Amino acid sequence: MMICSETSLSLAEGLQSTQSYNYTKYHSMDEIYRWMEEVERANPELVSSAVYGHTYEGRNITLLKLGLGNSEGRQKKLIWVDCGIHAREWIAPAFCQWFVKEIVDSYKTNKKLEQMLQNLDIFVTPVINVDGYLFTWANDSTRLWRKSRSPPPQGSSCYGVDLNRNFNANWGMVGASFNSCALTYCGRSAGSEPEATAVMDFVGGMIDQTLCFLTIHSAGQLILMPYGHPEISAPNYNELVSVGKAAAAEMEKIHGMTYTVGTSPQILYPNSGSSRDWARLMGIPFSYTFELRDKGEFSHLLPEEQIQPACEEAYAGALSIITYVHDKTFPDSVPPNAAVTSVSGFAVMILSTIMSVLLTAEVSE
Amino acid sequence: MATGELNPNHYPAQRAAKAVQHYLNTLYGSPYRVIFLNRVHSGYAEDVADSGRKYKLEITVQDHISNKTEKCKAEVLFPGGEQQRPPQVQASLEELPTTDTKAEEEALFQKYKTNQGLLSEHLPDSHGHVDPDMEPFMHLGSAASSFIMLNESTENTLYNVAQVANVTQLKTENDQLKFDYYVLLHDMISQEIIHWKLLFTWSPQEGVKVLQMEKLPHSHHNETPQNNNN
C-alpha cells in the first residue's frame, strides 16, 4: 500500500515538473543541468543520469538514461541520442529535452513505447559541447560560435576544435581543416578533444549492445547517413536509405516539412571525423545525423516559435528509426493490445488470431 | 565534377540553384519580398569550353512572406579560371513579383524618408526574434546581401544570411533611402561566418542599388576566452 502511494506521488510530481518547464524556449546550460536533475528526481523508475566525461574547461558531460526494468532480467539493447556537438545549433539541445519530455509524458499510456523501454535503454545527452554552448550565451557577438573552447595551439590565437571532425573515423582525410582558425578544424589528432573521447570511451564499451546512434544538429533539413568519405559505402547502405526515407516520410506527415536523405558527400559535402561515421565504423548498424530546421531563412537562429513544430517532426523521425531497430531486434515481442505500427506486427497478430481459433476449435471437439 | 543529368537532391544542383535564389533576390527582393529556393526538380551540367561549367535547372522558389511558390527555369554559368568571378545567371519570375507590396513599400518609404541614425542591431536576435517593426529591414538586408552572395557564389559555396548585425540609416539622397548594413553571411560548405559591410539605396520605384560592398577580416583576437565561472 505504502509503495503504491509513493509511486503515484512521484508520478504526479514527475508529470508536474516536466509540464512546468518551458520546452518551447531556449535554455541556458545552468537551466539544462537543473532540468536534468529534476527529471531524474521526479521519474526514478524511468530516468537515471550519468556523468561520462568532462569538457576542456572541466564541466560535466551528462546523459539521461531512459529505460524500464524487465521482469525476465534480459540484457537490454541501447539507443544513443546526442545533441549540441556544435555550440550554435540551439534547436538540437532543445530537441533532446523535448525528446525526454515526450517519453516521460507518454510511456505510461503508450503500450508500444512502454514495451520498447523494457527492451531498450535510451541514452540522451542534451549538450555534448557544454563549453561551446555556454560561450554562445555570453553575449551577442558569440552566438554563432561552433567549435569547442580548447585553447589555441602553439603559434595560433584561435580557440576551439570542430568536435564533429575530431572523432576517430578517417580523421583528417576530407572535409576538415588543419588550420586552428578554421571552423572545421579537426584538432591535433583523432580524439584529441575530451568531449569526443568521452563519447568514444563510453559508447565504445557498449558497441555490441548498441542498435542505433543518432546525433542531432542544425540546419538544413537533412538525414545524413554514413559515410562522410565519398569513396566508402556502409555495408547496409540500402537498409540505411530505406529506414532514413521512412523516417523522413513520418517527419513530413507532421508539418509538411521535407527532409532529404543521403550520405553527406551526396547531399551536403564530404567530411571525416564525424561521430556518425565513428559509430558506424565501430559496428553500430544504424547511425544518422539529423540536421533539423531550417533551410536558410534563419539557419541556426531558429525562432523560438518554431521549437515545438521542429521538435514534433524530429521526434516522429527519431521514433520511426528507434521503433524499426527495436522491432527488428525483438520481433517476437509485440504486445497484444499495442496499436499496429508495422506490417510484421500485423502478420504476428493475424497468426496469433489464427492459432487461437485453431486451438479453440480443437478444445471444443 | 558531376556532368550530364544531375540528381536534383544532390549538392551540385542544389548549390547552383542557390545562386539562382541570390540572383532572383537582386531583381525582386524588397522589404516585403524575400525569395527562397524551395525545391530543385531537375538539373543538367556541362562543361563549356574556355568558359566554365553551365547548369540548366528547373526549380521551385517561394516568397518567404506571401508563401506563394513559382516554378522557374534557370541557367547558371560558373566561370572557370584561377580567380573567382561571379556566376552568370539567367532566370526570371512572372508571378511572385506581382504580389502586391506597393502599398507597404510606399508606407515604409514615407515613414523613414526623413529619418537617419541607428535603426537596429541583431536581426534576428539570439533567440530568433525580430521586432515586427524591424522585419522589413531584415528582409531588405537579405535582398541587399544577395548581391554579395551572388558575387561570391561558386560550385563550392552555399550562402545564407546568418544575421543582420547592424542597420544604420544615412541621410536620404536623390529620393532614395540610404543604408549602411553590417551583415553576417554563413557559407554552409566551409561553415564560416563572413562579415560584410554594405552601402546601398532603396526606394519602391528603384529597388535596391548597391553602392559599396566590403568584406571585413574576422579578427579571432576579439574572441575573449571564457572564464571558468559557470
Side-chain angles (χ1 to χ4, degrees), chain B residues 16 37 44 50 52 55 95 99 110 113 148 152 177 180 189-190 205 207 209 211 213:
Chain B
L37 173 67
Y44 186 89
D50 294 333
Y55 289 74
E95 291 153 37
T99 56
Q110 292 303 328
K113 205 167 160 181
I148 303 172
E152 298 292 302
L177 301 187
D180 196 347
I189 311 312
S190 64
Q205 296 76 26
K209 298 258 180 283
L211 303 173
M213 300 188 279

Side-chain angles (χ1 to χ4, degrees), chain A residues 59 145 183 266 268 304, chain B residues 11 15 126 129 192 223 230:
Chain A
R59 299 188 177 88
W145 188 258
L183 290 230
Q266 287 169 343
L268 185 58
E304 285 180 312
Chain B
Y11 76 79
R15 290 179 195 176
S126 290
H129 296 144
E192 297 289 338
E223 282 145 27
N230 268 3

Side-chain angles (χ1 to χ4, degrees), chain A residues 84-89 128-136 142-153 156-165 177-187 193 195, chain B residues 190-192 220 223:
Chain A
I85 279 185
H86 289 138
R88 61 191 181 198
E89 299 169 11
I128 293 220
N129 182 6
V130 180
D131 296 348
Y133 187 72
L134 257 157
F135 190 66
T136 59
T142 62
R143 173 61 177 87
L144 291 170
W145 188 258
R146 168 183 165 90
K147 300 188 286 184
S148 69
R149 291 296 298 167
S150 56
S156 166
S157 58
C158 295
Y159 281 75
V161 170
D162 184 343
L163 295 174
N164 210 34
R165 302 289 184 278
S177 174
F178 292 104
N179 179 342
S180 61
C181 295
L183 290 230
T184 56
Y185 173 51
C186 54
E193 303 311 300
E195 297 86 352
Chain B
S190 64
Q191 291 294 345
E192 297 289 338
H220 297 276
E223 282 145 27

